[in-house]
Each structure stands twice: as C-alpha cells, then as structure tokens.
Amino acid sequence: MADKLFNDTFDLPDINHMNKIVTLKDIAKALNLSISTISKALNDSYEISEDTKKKVLSYAKYHHYSPNRMAKGLKEGKSRSIGVVVCSLENNFVAQMLDGIDSYSSNKSYQIIIMQSKESAQQEIACLDLLYAGGVDGILISPASQTVDFSYLVTLQKAGLPVVLFDRLSDHIDTHKVGADNFRGAYDATVHLIDNGYKNIAHLNTNTILSIATERLNGYKQALYDRNITYRPELLRSCDYSNPKKLHQDLEAAIHYYMSLEVRPDAIFTATDQISTRCLALLNKMGYHVPGDVALIGFTNTDLADALNPALSTVNQPAFEMGQIAASKLISLIEAKIPVTEFETIMLETKVNVRASTQK
Amino acid sequence: MADKLFNDTFDLPDINHMNKIVTLKDIAKALNLSISTISKALNDSYEISEDTKKKVLSYAKYHHYSPNRMAKGLKEGKSRSIGVVVCSLENNFVAQMLDGIDSYSSNKSYQIIIMQSKESAQQEIACLDLLYAGGVDGILISPASQTVDFSYLVTLQKAGLPVVLFDRLSDHIDTHKVGADNFRGAYDATVHLIDNGYKNIAHLNTNTILSIATERLNGYKQALYDRNITYRPELLRSCDYSNPKKLHQDLEAAIHYYMSLEVRPDAIFTATDQISTRCLALLNKMGYHVPGDVALIGFTNTDLADALNPALSTVNQPAFEMGQIAASKLISLIEAKIPVTEFETIMLETKVNVRASTQK
DNA sequence: CTGTTAGCGCTTTCAC
DNA sequence: GTGAAAGCGCTAACAG
C-alpha cells in the first residue's frame, strides 16, 4: 500500500520526520506526463482530456495525493485560514462561539487558528502580529476587556486584512460586527426582576470600556426608568476583568459592600458569564440564601444553570449562531471580488430563562 | 508610516485583499543588497557584518517585516504548527487541556490548529486527513469515544508524522501518551464513598472501548474488592457517548433503572465530566435528594462544582498540565534529531475533592 | 563579508 | 491536448 517509489528526493539527514507525501512531480513522473498537466487534470481544467483526467485522478486517489497547503498558499497569496482571537479558551461561552465559528469555517474549507488574549491588550497585539505574519486571510476577534486602542487592528484592516468583530464590539473600527442585543437582554432581565417584586436591584458589571458593558448597563437603567424605579448609583459595581484572581476579589468585595448597605439590594443582575456563576458560588459560600436573601439573574450560557444551587435564572445568548454568522461575514469579506465599504452590525436576540434564583 | 513603495508586483485583480507585506526582496532592493544577505542578516548569520545586520534589522523593524510563514514552511518542509484533535471544543475539561497545549506551544512558537471529532471515528479521520494535508509537524490527539481502529493514525505515524495521545489513551498505537491516573482516581473516589458509609455504589461509565473507561471501572472494582464489598454487576451502567441527546437519554434511563432496583444504590460514582454534571442535574430534576437519597461523586473539572446543588464531590484531573506535557512530548518528537523509538506513558495524579454531595 | 543560484510544490501563462 | 518555464518568499550551498 504505502510505497517508497517516490521518495528518493527526500534522502536528507532529517528524513525521519519527512512525511512521505505524494507531489505533483511524483504523479507526473509515474504517469509520464508533465507537472502542469497533472495540476490541470486535478483542477478539472477543460484543457485536459477525459482520459488523462481519469488516469490522474485515480492515481492521485490511490496514492492519497493531497495538495501541499503551503505551496498552494504561497502561490495564491492566500492560506485559506482565519485567525480567531478570544479572551480565553477556558470559557464556556467562548467555547460555544468557537464551535460556531469552526462549524461554518470547516464547511467552507477554512482552517481556524485560535489565539488567546487572556484579556490583555498587549497580548492581543502579539496574537494579531502572529496571525498576520502567519498569513491568515482574515481575523475574527472578540477584543480583550482591557483593550482601549483599536488602531493596530485598524492598521491591519487598512493593510487589506479583513476583520470582523464578534461578541464584544467597539465603535473604534468600521467593519462587520456580530453581537447580541445586550441592551435588550439586560432590559428584559431587569424587568423580570421588577415584575417579580424586586425593587432594589444591584448591577454587577465589568470594568471594560467595551460597548458590551455599557449596553447592559443602559438596558438595566432603562428598565428601572420605565418601571419608575429610581436608579441608585451605589448599587452599581464593576469588577476588574483582567484576571480571575482580581475578579474574585472584586466580586467578594462587591457582595460584602452590598450586604453592608443600610438598604440592601434584594436582587442582583450580573453582566457576564464569569460574574454570574462566581457570584452565585460566593453568595452560597458567604451564607446568603438565594433568592431568599437576594435574588440573582445574570448573563451566562452555562448548561449547568439548572444544576446550580439554586437553579440560576439566566440571560442566554445565541453563542453558536453568533460564531457562525461572524465566520460567514468574515469569509464573505475574504472572498469579495471588490472591496467592501458598507459594513453591518448584526444583533442577535437574547433570551431570559427564569429559574429558581429569581423566584421569591 | 504605511508606504506603498513595494507593491507594484501586486497589481492584480484581487489586490483589494492583498496584505501589503514587506518581503526580503523589498528590503534587498531598498538597501541595495542581495536577498540572501538580507535573509542571513535577519537570521543573525555569522557571515554578515554587524554594520549590515544593524541596517537590515532596523529597516525590517521599521517596515514591520515578518517572514512569510508559508514560504518558510514550504522551504523547510515544516510548518511550525501542530494539529490538535479533540472530541469537542465545548467541553470545559477539553478547554483546560487546550489551554495547556496552547500555553506550551505558543512558548515554543508553534501554532496549534484545533479540530473536533465530535466523538465520531469517521469525522476524526477527516480531521487527521486535513491536518496531514495541511502540513502540520505533528498531531496531538484525544481520540473520539467511538474510535476503535487506530490504523490510520498508525499509518500517519509510519509516514513520519509524530503523534502523541493525551487524556484518552489506547494500546493500539505505540507512541508517547499523557493521561491521568484514572485507576487511582476511581479507586480513591470509591474508597471515599465506602469510608463514608456507602455500601451500594453504582458506577456510571461510557460505552467507549478506550482505556480511560476500563481503568476507571477497574479502580472502582478494586476499591470494592479491597474493602470487602461484593461487586454487583447490575450497578454498572454505561451511556452512549456519541452524542449529547443519546447521552441524556441513557442517563435518564440509568437513573430510573437504579431507582427501580430492589436494593437501590446509595451512592453513584460517575466516570466523566459530562456524566457527572448531567447526572446531578437529572437527579435534581427527578426529585431525588443528593446525598440524602443517593450520594454522588464524579470525575469532572468544572469550576462550578462548589456552586452546584449540592456542591459536588469530584475527582479532578490536572488538565492544564496534561495539555502542557502532551505538547512538550510532541514537540520533543518533532524536534528530535534521530528517530525516537522508545516511548513513554505519563500518568498524572488525580485529586478527590470532597464536597456536600457525598456527606451523609 | 556578500552575491548567485537552485529549489521547496504549486498555478499559470504561453508555446507547441 | 500537453508541456516548458516563470515565479510566489524563503533558505542554503557554493562562488567570489
């Protein structure tokens, strides 16, 4: 089956790791045809006779020929790969989006290269650098919470590299953006709390400048306003999202703070996956009863929501879909025949799932 | 800053997406030197004068030169990328391992390309095919639960592609393997249950033939044996791991079955992340009190264990470390000067975390 | 110390 | 209908 016929060119010192890959040259030699004929045959060119095509195809198949991605990429100036920059792999919500990205990209025969910014703007630049140098055809990015400067991304874009933002959006770059309707999600969650009789609703958010945070804050404020509840600034706290330890500390401090207020909150609306689940764990650990002492609803996509103590009311985002759409937008940009100048921002619907944590 | 000086070669129809990348040629032209001189200067060759090096380096830096990965890869027969095949991205445990792999690989300037088998052996082959064709320097794989035939992987290995197994190991291929001490983890968990007074301990496992399942089963059996508890085969059930829906059905059926036995189990030891958390959710949903009606301990790395209802006793695996070590083993194989024939299997320690779900 | 040259695997004119 | 040749960006052997 595996023959050694064509590997005489590989008699080099490091032959040990040389993949015995069949090349066009090998096929050409074996079939007594020229390399270009083989190439054309495999690409089903009209210039080649059916007979030859058949011969070439069958030989190629039998010998497991598959084109060298790098050679093709070098030649064509494209790599059929896209770079994906996320805050972290170890994040359920991110994983769901990546799954969506992967699903769409694989279908279109694009490879994805995932890099983690770990919420650091500097690390993010490093990722972008590597991806750019690596020759990706486009970038899909959900910026780090610490990112304030999008100029590098804009530079890459100006240099001709298509960029699409997903999940965490920003006005500092003009391109396709795919996110959730964060305002609406926050609004719905807050209204849900109010309609269930909660009046003193705290809001725990992140310290990022990304729109994701302000939109959620605004949704919360608007709901209060619409229901004639006075916004109490002291019920708004934000947590440092730059690293897990800091987040944990800030969360703990926030809860202590809330519980020391003369008018304690009777409910908390949390703005992100990490904050929501950690907050619940902390409330439990600190001995507060949810929802007895304080109700809790938060943005999170964890599929463990119903197994939590108590089952956690959540605002869900269509993460998988978000990934798919982002990938489709990027690939459409990559494959566009003419430069695209009209960009769109797509907002996907969120969904409130009511569970025990907000049922008095 | 961004100059248009060197892009006259790119006047093609699809110039719109052409990255204005500086090449060796461009630098050579600009500095009036030869391409090879530039190449050597950038690679800090001893053949080049300090003066020239300085000039080249500064020009390169200023113009953001970065070598074309594909050209370099094509030339050197290496891509400095490694393929990673996992069952799913959307799996907390997997994400932690990927994080470890990424951490080590990034340090060594290897790019990782992640593909999902979705527990399908067929899909797995497709992934391997793509990775092989894509020119990765090596493969890191945690086989799909449905995989029974490792011959394709062996073929790739024989063709010179280094392969390292992680997490889910198999005897059907001889290579470096990095996993957890599953026997010991299962043993410890079962002993913990017994020592806490549980006598009728059920074991919920997967339907895979991978050693990960049998090792855990054996650890469970050995613990029973060592503590003089008769192994009751009817307390062993396995769930179809090929898709989430099937898994859920099987789990539900298993719990129904357990609870219908004349001698009900008073504790369950679950073998995997998915089974452990889903089992808890189902027990809650079906109205059983944990640990009152039945105690539960399971393999899982979820960081939500303490927020679950009740807090879940777990067997933890050093997932991040496992990823790191697997990556290091693979890279050592890739960079080995002589063919490696002696392989090792590394077993990392697991840790039992006792929480409320096993406290009578 | 620097330059010339060949070639990695592929596509793509342009000849025949 | 087929083939020769150039070239994508890079490295390395060999000349000078």
Side-chain angles (χ1 to χ4, degrees):
Chain A
M1 184 105 335
D3 64 34
K4 292 194 162 210
L5 198 58
F6 305 118
N7 289 290
D8 19 23
T9 49
F10 286 151
D11 278 40
L12 303 169
D14 60 351
I15 188 176
N16 51 311
H17 292 326
M18 213 45 108
N19 304 352
K20 294 185 191 124
I21 284 197
V22 182
T23 68
L24 291 189
K25 195 175 171 184
D26 300 325
I27 305 182
K29 210 183 292 179
L31 263 42
N32 239 309
L33 288 166
S34 78
I35 294 179
S36 51
T37 301
I38 308 298
S39 171
K40 286 171 187 164
L42 289 170
N43 289 311
D44 201 27
S45 161
Y46 65 96
E47 301 177 279
I48 305 295
S49 73
E50 282 310 313
D51 208 48
T52 309
K53 274 184 195 170
K54 213 169 288 175
K55 250 191 302 188
V56 172
L57 258 327
S58 85
Y59 185 94
K61 188 160 213 168
Y62 183 71
H63 290 266
H64 292 110
Y65 169 78
S66 83
N68 180 310
R69 203 183 175 95
M70 287 182 292
K72 197 165 180 165
L74 177 58
K75 179 67 190 173
E76 297 181 339
K78 310 211 163 279
S79 61
R80 245 192 144 71
S81 69
I82 69 191
V84 184
V85 183
V86 293
C87 58
S88 169
L89 274 168
E90 202 194 319
N91 177 313
N92 186 58
F93 176 62
V94 169
Q96 291 175 23
M97 293 191 294
L98 289 175
D99 199 10
I101 292 170
D102 183 52
S103 129
Y104 190 88
S105 312
S106 298
N107 259 337
K108 294 281 184 176
S109 318
Y110 278 81
Q111 227 175 220
I112 65 174
I113 295 158
I114 302 168
M115 309 215 116
Q116 311 184 63
S117 67
K118 297 284 178 183
E119 302 293 9
S120 145
Q122 195 190 338
Q123 174 92 9
E124 186 168 279
I125 301 258
C127 293
L128 291 171
D129 249 340
L130 277 169
L131 290 170
Y132 184 58
V136 295
D137 295 340
I139 299 268
L140 232 34
I141 182 169
S142 179
S145 63
Q146 302 305 306
T147 300
V148 292
D149 180 13
F150 284 79
S151 60
Y152 192 71
L153 209 51
V154 172
T155 303
L156 289 183
Q157 190 190 28
K158 289 229 176 86
L161 191 65
V163 172
V164 167
L165 259 57
F166 67 101
D167 178 35
R168 302 174 177 184
L169 316 183
S170 163
D171 293 333
H172 293 74
I173 179 169
D174 187 27
T175 186
H176 288 322
K177 298 164 196 171
V178 185
D181 190 341
N182 294 300
F183 178 91
R184 186 58 187 269
Y187 184 90
D188 290 347
T190 311
V191 161
H192 160 68
L193 287 172
I194 297 169
D195 289 354
N196 267 30
Y198 298 101
K199 296 262 181 269
N200 289 289
I201 302 172
H203 179 40
L204 260 173
N205 210 318
T206 65
N207 67 336
T208 178
I209 66 146
L210 295 171
S211 60
I212 198 168
T214 51
E215 283 167 10
R216 290 174 189 183
L217 172 60
N218 290 338
Y220 159 81
K221 282 183 179 170
Q222 187 67 44
L224 294 180
Y225 181 82
D226 286 357
R227 302 284 166 157
N228 292 308
I229 294 188
T230 312
Y231 166 61
R232 292 171 55 196
E234 72 271 25
L235 289 184
L236 172 66
R237 295 278 292 205
S238 62
C239 305
D240 189 331
Y241 225 62
S242 56
N243 78 66
K245 202 167 294 173
K246 200 81 184 56
L247 175 59
H248 191 269
Q249 286 171 2
D250 283 10
L251 263 175
E252 198 154 11
I255 295 173
H256 271 302
Y257 163 80
Y258 282 147
M259 294 314 192
S260 71
L261 289 174
E262 67 280 37
V263 184
R264 278 189 183 187
D266 53 7
I268 305 177
F269 162 52
T270 47
T272 76
D273 226 293
Q274 309 294 301
I275 294 181
S276 301
T277 54
R278 279 301 94 203
C279 185
L280 178 60
L282 271 171
L283 284 169
N284 283 339
K285 187 180 156 205
M286 291 161 74
Y288 294 106
H289 183 259
V290 179
D293 294 326
V294 63
L296 181 63
I297 186 171
F299 268 83
T300 171
N301 270 33
T302 181
D303 52 0
L304 261 45
D306 58 345
L308 292 172
N309 182 24
L312 182 65
S313 293
T314 58
V315 184
N316 264 79
Q317 302 179 69
F320 185 85
E321 213 186 329
M322 205 184 294
Q324 281 191 310
I325 296 177
S328 82
K329 284 293 155 195
L330 180 67
I331 291 174
S332 79
L333 243 36
I334 292 172
E335 298 182 345
K337 295 288 171 224
I338 55 167
V340 176
T341 52
E342 285 287 293
F343 296 111
E344 53 180 325
T345 296
I346 297 171
M347 303 245 281
L348 270 38
E349 275 184 27
T350 57
K351 183 165 181 305
V352 171
N353 285 101
V354 177
R355 298 194 184 84
S357 71
T358 55
Q359 312 276 45
K360 250 186 186 151
Chain B
M1 184 106 335
D3 64 35
K4 294 191 163 211
L5 200 55
F6 306 116
N7 291 289
D8 17 22
T9 49
F10 287 151
D11 278 41
L12 305 167
D14 59 352
I15 187 174
N16 48 311
H17 291 326
M18 213 47 105
N19 302 352
K20 294 183 192 130
I21 283 197
V22 183
T23 68
L24 290 188
K25 195 176 172 180
D26 300 326
I27 304 181
K29 209 184 293 180
L31 263 42
N32 240 311
L33 288 165
S34 80
I35 294 179
S36 56
T37 302
I38 308 297
S39 171
K40 287 171 186 162
L42 290 171
N43 287 310
D44 201 26
S45 161
Y46 66 95
E47 302 178 281
I48 306 295
S49 73
E50 282 310 314
D51 208 49
T52 309
K53 276 185 194 169
K54 213 169 286 174
K55 250 191 299 184
V56 173
L57 259 327
S58 86
Y59 185 94
K61 186 158 214 170
Y62 183 70
H63 290 267
H64 293 108
Y65 168 80
S66 82
N68 180 311
R69 200 181 178 97
M70 289 180 291
K72 198 165 178 163
L74 178 58
K75 178 66 190 173
E76 297 182 338
K78 311 210 160 279
S79 60
R80 246 193 142 71
S81 70
I82 70 192
V84 184
V85 183
V86 292
C87 58
S88 169
L89 272 168
E90 204 193 318
N91 175 314
N92 185 58
F93 176 62
V94 169
Q96 291 175 22
M97 294 190 295
L98 288 175
D99 199 10
I101 292 170
D102 183 53
S103 127
Y104 190 89
S105 312
S106 299
N107 259 338
K108 295 281 184 175
S109 318
Y110 278 80
Q111 227 175 221
I112 63 175
I113 295 159
I114 302 167
M115 308 216 119
Q116 312 183 62
S117 68
K118 298 283 180 185
E119 304 292 9
S120 145
Q122 195 190 338
Q123 174 91 13
E124 186 169 277
I125 300 260
C127 293
L128 290 171
D129 249 341
L130 277 170
L131 290 171
Y132 184 57
V136 295
D137 296 341
I139 301 267
L140 232 34
I141 183 169
S142 179
S145 63
Q146 302 306 304
T147 300
V148 292
D149 179 13
F150 284 79
S151 60
Y152 192 71
L153 209 52
V154 171
T155 303
L156 288 183
Q157 191 191 26
K158 288 228 177 89
L161 192 64
V163 172
V164 168
L165 258 57
F166 67 101
D167 179 33
R168 302 173 177 184
L169 316 183
S170 163
D171 293 333
H172 293 73
I173 179 169
D174 186 27
T175 186
H176 288 322
K177 299 165 194 169
V178 185
D181 190 342
N182 294 301
F183 178 90
R184 185 58 187 269
Y187 185 90
D188 290 348
T190 310
V191 162
H192 159 69
L193 287 172
I194 297 169
D195 289 354
N196 266 30
Y198 298 101
K199 297 261 179 267
N200 289 289
I201 303 172
H203 179 41
L204 259 173
N205 210 319
T206 65
N207 67 336
T208 178
I209 66 144
L210 295 171
S211 60
I212 198 169
T214 51
E215 285 167 8
R216 289 173 191 183
L217 172 59
N218 290 339
Y220 159 80
K221 282 183 179 170
Q222 187 68 45
L224 294 180
Y225 182 81
D226 286 355
R227 302 284 165 155
N228 292 310
I229 295 188
T230 313
Y231 166 59
R232 293 172 53 197
E234 72 269 27
L235 289 184
L236 172 66
R237 296 279 293 203
S238 62
C239 306
D240 190 329
Y241 226 62
S242 56
N243 79 65
K245 203 168 293 171
K246 203 79 185 56
L247 175 60
H248 190 269
Q249 285 171 2
D250 284 9
L251 263 175
E252 199 154 9
I255 295 173
H256 271 301
Y257 163 80
Y258 283 146
M259 294 315 191
S260 70
L261 289 174
E262 67 279 40
V263 184
R264 276 189 183 186
D266 52 7
I268 305 177
F269 161 53
T270 47
T272 77
D273 225 294
Q274 308 295 301
I275 293 182
S276 301
T277 53
R278 278 301 95 202
C279 184
L280 179 60
L282 271 172
L283 284 170
N284 283 338
K285 189 182 156 206
M286 292 161 75
Y288 295 106
H289 183 258
V290 179
D293 294 326
V294 62
L296 181 63
I297 186 170
F299 267 83
T300 171
N301 269 33
T302 181
D303 53 359
L304 260 47
D306 58 345
L308 292 171
N309 182 27
L312 182 64
S313 294
T314 59
V315 184
N316 263 79
Q317 303 178 69
F320 184 85
E321 213 185 329
M322 205 184 294
Q324 281 191 311
I325 295 177
S328 81
K329 283 294 155 194
L330 180 66
I331 291 175
S332 77
L333 244 36
I334 292 172
E335 297 182 347
K337 295 289 171 224
I338 55 168
V340 177
T341 52
E342 286 287 295
F343 296 111
E344 54 180 325
T345 295
I346 297 171
M347 303 244 281
L348 271 37
E349 276 184 27
T350 58
K351 182 164 181 305
V352 171
N353 286 101
V354 177
R355 298 194 184 83
S357 72
T358 54
Q359 314 275 46
K360 252 185 187 155

